[in-house]
Amino acid sequence: MTNDDRTDAIVTRGLSKVYRDVTGLDSLDLRVPKGSIFGFLGPNGAGKTTTIKLLLGLTRPSHGSATVAGRDVVADSLGVRQRVGYLAQQPQFYDHMTARQTLRFTARLFFTGPADAIEHRVGEMLELVGLDDMADRPVRGFSGGERQRLGIAQAQVNDPELLILDEPAAALDPLGRRDVLEVMRRLRDRTTIFYSTHILDDVERVSDTVAILDGGRLIAQAPVHQLLHGDTTSYTLTVHGSGDAQASLLRTRPWVTGVSTATTDDLATLTVAVDDEGAADSELLRTVLADGQTTVTSFARSRRSLEDLFIDLVQEEAR
């Protein structure tokens, strides 16, 4: 066992799964730091669920290896499952049971202590996921978001070292998604969260680190802020006219790495990429207005979205 296997919640090396002639996962090298909220991003069919099954020991890899909480997923699959909480994409419950009864039933599978200690743990989980005010209602009446939050509480009830969530907010309305993401934020100091998703906005809102999977292959892995910002920052400004003179002038500045122009009617929008934000903040607008004749109608720093990055990476991989 290497140091990474002890300091990271998940480590995979060349992890692969082949189903007859179809490759579900191709040589995945992944590191999930302890204490992080790690977004595992990719379109449907990218290999996310296959990866989760391999990590949980529900299927065996064709090649490669993986450790979860320092345990080998093949040699010590029981040890892995004892240290991991898991929420399936569509959790199933006994609908006649209440939320409290559901968590009490699950907790008794893990704890053999006194009943009042179990009740305390159940109450703590209900409060954590915001279901304490409906703890004694049958689950059959729960909304999709409430069922997902109950599923997270059930997965967390044994205080696992790692929480694996498979598309926890995929089928929810905006309010339900908001509530599930808020629960994930509350769990940040309690456990490591590894969750798969195809919803880009969710990753930006809660994740520390993201890995992007496409066609079973890992195409990017880095902290979210690093992927979004990289080494360059962009600004957009809109001016009257064609924008050609302003673009030419900006290209002469040493801190400008590129300028593109889009024209609509009598307005031109310039997108200016820079490698020195300080210089751009103090000089960019001043440079454009130096001739005394240019009228700027808007000016702002651009923020590259994860959606833009994802599309660029997937298209590049396809090429």
Side-chain angles (χ1 to χ4, degrees), residues 202-238:
D202 291 353
V203 176
E204 288 194 64
R205 289 167 66 181
V206 299
S207 300
D208 307 310
T209 307
V210 63
I212 300 177
L213 201 67
D214 185 51
R217 295 180 61 86
L218 183 69
I219 58 176
Q221 179 182 185
V224 172
H225 68 86
Q226 182 178 323
L227 280 176
L228 290 178
H229 298 293
D231 297 325
T232 62
T233 301
S234 295
Y235 295 76
T236 58
L237 63 152
T238 302

Side-chain angles (χ1 to χ4, degrees), residues 56 164 283:
L56 293 172
I164 295 180
E283 298 181 36

